[in-house]
Amino acid sequence: MNILVTGGAGFIGSNFIIYWLKKHPQDRIVNLDALTYAGNPENLTSVDQLPNYRFVKGNICNAKLVSQLCKGIDIVVHFAAESHVDRSIKDPGVFLETNVSGTHILLKSALKNKIKRFHHISTDEVFGSLDLSENKKFNENTPYFPRSPYAASKAASDHLVLAFYHTYGLPVTITNCSNNYGPYQHPEKLIPLTITNIIENKKVPVYGDGKNIRDWLYVEDHCRAIDLVLKEGKIGETYCIGGLLKDVSNLEIIRMIFRILKKEDSLISFVKDRPGHDRKYAIDWSKIKKDLGWQPEATLEEWLTKTVEWYSKNRVWWQKLKKGQFEIYFKQQYPDL
Ligand code: NAD
Ligand code: DAU
């Protein structure tokens, strides 16, 4: 099988490539990634010498390049995106370019080259926000109500993917997953930022009152779910993937990390809330469980402990990312700290 992965130098994409080449060593992967601030070839040092792995530095908005790379490809797994909500609030333009136009360019090329499957990685953020008081969860039938520029751009891309299925018959599948965590996640995101700031004895920023709820999914569980959808998922269908059965607030997850690192939580610092901050996400993942037999392989406590251990052992990896441009970003994003 020949697979084109987009955004494979980012967090989930690199975990996916490592997972896939281990599980399916007979397959060939081409990884197309623009290496934005979020892309890091060091994530892939364990596979980059393999004969069945090829890296191409390039933009998914480059129609000529995308068209060349789609030749002979069986499956496209599309991760490439601008992914950070806070950055989308400051500058939405690049989110529209990559997430919407880039997806459109890929879809056109996939259609022209008669790709056997186009799998689109999307997010639960397209469904909007739940109230803290309600027990509702998002599922495959929840209407779209994106509330940040990032979420709006992902919603638009989902609509385009389904439009290519209904209008042109492109064989697509979509997964809408919740917040991932695990190795190789950029330290701009909550869990790696919290772990690395605690290790560095720096303040841990908490937006608003810290009661916002996210549904946490370990990245390897996510990769396994994508594998199942590629093999057994129904064309034209969407699958929601989440990691939890009970609600966990941001403050609770931050305090769990302090406990795992055996540190007092005095570094917690409440800062100005994110504009339009979605209060709660919760995923009903019963469809993928029932239809494909998927479920997380371990508990939040177990996966989080493994994640904390990874960041503790791989300081050189994240220390580089927290220098230079990131210091400027951090000062702008957290002026209260
Ligand atoms: P990430 O920001 O870590 O990585 C994105 C990758 O895409 C980077 O390697 C970057 O260089 C690349 N990229 C960006 N623009 C590109 C372009 N124009 N052309 C080619 N490559 C480009 O993102 P992630 O957290 O790994 O997320 C991957 C996908 O999963 C995204 O589509 C995101 O919307 C979705 N998602 C992420 C999460 C999460 O919790 N991280 C949850 C739900 C869905
Ligand atoms: O739900 C899926 C989404 O999860 C993905 O689609 C996005 O690509 C991914 O970035 C993530 O979005 P979030 O905005 O939920 O993730 P983030 O790690 O930025 O924030 C998680 C929660 O923690 C959120 O409620 C905001 C809060 N937060 C975040 C940061 C960075 C803080 O309280 N302090 C912080 O410094």
Side-chain angles (χ1 to χ4, degrees):
M1 194 95 74
N2 291 319
I3 303 172
L4 175 65
V5 171
T6 70
F11 162 48
I12 309 175
S14 60
N15 276 281
F16 177 79
I17 291 174
I18 293 165
Y19 163 95
W20 195 274
L21 290 174
K22 201 168 164 195
K23 185 118 187 276
H24 309 283
Q26 73 287 358
D27 288 346
R28 283 177 294 276
I29 290 186
V30 177
N31 173 15
L32 170 63
D33 196 299
L35 296 185
T36 68
Y37 79 95
N40 186 352
E42 287 183 22
N43 300 3
L44 293 153
T45 46
S46 65
V47 297
D48 65 8
Q49 296 305 316
L50 294 176
N52 52 345
Y53 170 76
R54 180 179 159 217
F55 177 69
V56 177
K57 183 173 186 284
N59 198 310
I60 57 166
C61 298
N62 179 341
K64 202 171 155 204
L65 175 66
V66 167
S67 176
Q68 279 165 8
L69 293 178
C70 275
K71 291 201 172 74
I73 290 293
D74 301 300
I75 296 178
V76 175
V77 187
H78 176 33
F79 294 94
E82 287 294 333
S83 71
H84 194 33
V85 174
D86 291 327
R87 291 185 192 256
S88 83
I89 293 167
K90 288 215 158 62
D91 182 13
V94 67
F95 285 72
L96 300 188
E97 222 169 279
T98 289
N99 301 2
V100 186
S101 297
T103 301
H104 175 227
I105 284 163
L106 276 171
L107 286 164
K108 277 200 300 191
S109 215
L111 189 66
K112 196 170 142 217
N113 287 284
K114 300 191 170 49
I115 297 291
K116 296 187 190 98
R117 179 75 70 88
F118 185 98
H119 183 71
H120 179 58
I121 309 295
S122 192
T123 170
D124 57 1
E125 300 208 8
V126 297
F127 301 124
S129 180
L130 298 164
D131 286 337
L132 283 188
S133 56
E134 61 185 346
N135 279 327
K136 273 200 221 144
K137 292 186 175 201
F138 301 135
N139 65 32
E140 290 77 6
N141 299 316
T142 304
Y144 276 32
F145 188 17
R147 292 164 24 106
S148 73
Y150 162 71
S153 69
K154 291 298 289 187
S157 67
D158 292 11
H159 290 320
L160 273 173
V161 171
L162 286 176
F164 268 68
Y165 165 66
H166 289 292
T167 310
Y168 309 113
L170 184 72
V172 307
T173 39
I174 299 180
T175 41
N176 292 85
C177 70
S178 59
N179 289 59
N180 283 225
Y181 63 103
Y184 303 117
Q185 186 168 29
H186 194 283
E188 68 187 356
K189 304 282 169 68
L190 180 72
I191 288 185
L193 183 65
T194 301
I195 300 171
T196 59
N197 275 16
I198 298 173
I199 294 174
E200 295 181 303
N201 214 28
K202 289 184 178 156
K203 288 183 176 162
V204 173
V206 180
Y207 294 157
D209 60 10
K211 290 184 181 156
N212 300 62
I213 288 172
R214 294 293 182 268
D215 180 325
W216 296 101
L217 170 66
Y218 188 63
V219 66
E220 202 179 296
D221 281 330
H222 183 195
C223 293
R224 218 166 18 84
I226 300 168
D227 191 349
L228 275 170
V229 171
L230 287 174
K231 288 211 200 80
E232 296 168 36
K234 263 177 78 181
I235 301 296
E237 297 254 327
T238 285
Y239 295 86
C240 283
I241 316 169
L244 302 181
L245 290 170
K246 72 175 185 26
D247 293 347
V248 179
S249 72
N250 290 345
L251 258 185
E252 283 170 318
I253 199 130
I254 289 168
R255 292 205 167 108
M256 282 170 74
I257 297 172
F258 274 100
R259 279 200 298 280
I260 296 168
L261 283 165
K262 299 191 174 50
K263 293 267 181 75
E264 294 292 317
D265 62 11
S266 53
L267 291 170
I268 290 179
S269 305
F270 290 93
V271 298
K272 198 164 164 270
D273 207 355
R274 174 187 277 175
H277 194 177
D278 287 341
R279 206 54 167 149
K280 173 176 172 180
Y281 306 144
I283 289 258
D284 169 2
W285 39 274
S286 54
K287 174 177 171 181
I288 190 165
K289 184 174 185 209
K290 186 169 153 280
D291 291 3
L292 308 184
W294 176 90
Q295 61 179 17
E297 271 183 349
T299 63
L300 174 65
E301 287 74 10
E302 288 164 318
W303 282 141
L304 196 58
T305 304
K306 205 172 145 96
T307 302
V308 171
E309 278 165 12
W310 189 88
Y311 285 89
S312 302
K313 282 192 194 130
N314 290 279
R315 290 180 194 216
V316 178
W317 180 86
W318 54 261
Q319 274 164 350
K320 279 190 218 163
L321 297 179
K322 289 182 95 172
K323 291 211 176 88
Q325 280 301 315
F326 186 78
E327 288 169 309
I328 300 165
Y329 162 81
F330 193 85
K331 277 200 190 111
Q332 283 171 354
Q333 183 61 27
Y334 304 100
D336 311 350
L337 286 189

